[in-house]
Amino acid sequence: MAVSDVGVRIERARAAAGLSQRALADATGISQSTLSRIISGDRAAKMPELVAIAWETGHTVAQLTGNGAVSERVECAARATNGSDMDAMRQALLDFLELDAYLDDQAIPATV
């Protein structure tokens, strides 16, 4: 897991949650300068920081680190057209599967 990859995932989670860097820093108790260094890949996030960021952004630690259990079990095959980015498509699929696994773990039923 590259530090910069985690930073990119944290930045995406922050943006998706509609939080500014300052708001996320305040909510997690991480200084804004430290959070900025984590996001830029200049500093690795410690586990308590990852847990706090995951909690405040509504993501899982597995989603932020890219080390989810689902990614170890899943194989996918797809055909890309129109210049589609296969890595981005795979990551989107893994994100959905991680969320599904998380909801199952929390005993949250699927709705139709």
Side-chain angles (χ1 to χ4, degrees), residues 13-80:
R14 180 200 63 76
L19 298 170
S20 67
Q21 251 190 39
R22 168 61 63 201
L24 182 56
D26 290 345
T28 59
I30 302 169
S31 73
Q32 198 274 327
S33 61
T34 297
L35 182 60
S36 178
R37 290 183 17 239
I38 291 170
I39 289 172
S40 69
D42 292 337
R43 178 188 178 284
K46 297 174 183 169
M47 186 53 72
E49 294 165 336
L50 285 170
V51 170
I53 292 167
W55 179 263
E56 293 301 329
T57 61
H59 288 73
T60 65
V61 171
Q63 288 172 314
L64 297 179
T65 61
N67 289 333
V70 170
S71 64
E72 297 167 3
R73 297 188 323 258
V74 131
E75 289 185 34
C76 61
R79 178 176 48 199

Side-chain angles (χ1 to χ4, degrees), residues 78-90:
R79 178 176 48 199
T81 59
N82 302 327
S84 297
D85 180 5
M86 288 300 294
D87 289 332
M89 289 172 35
R90 182 178 188 280

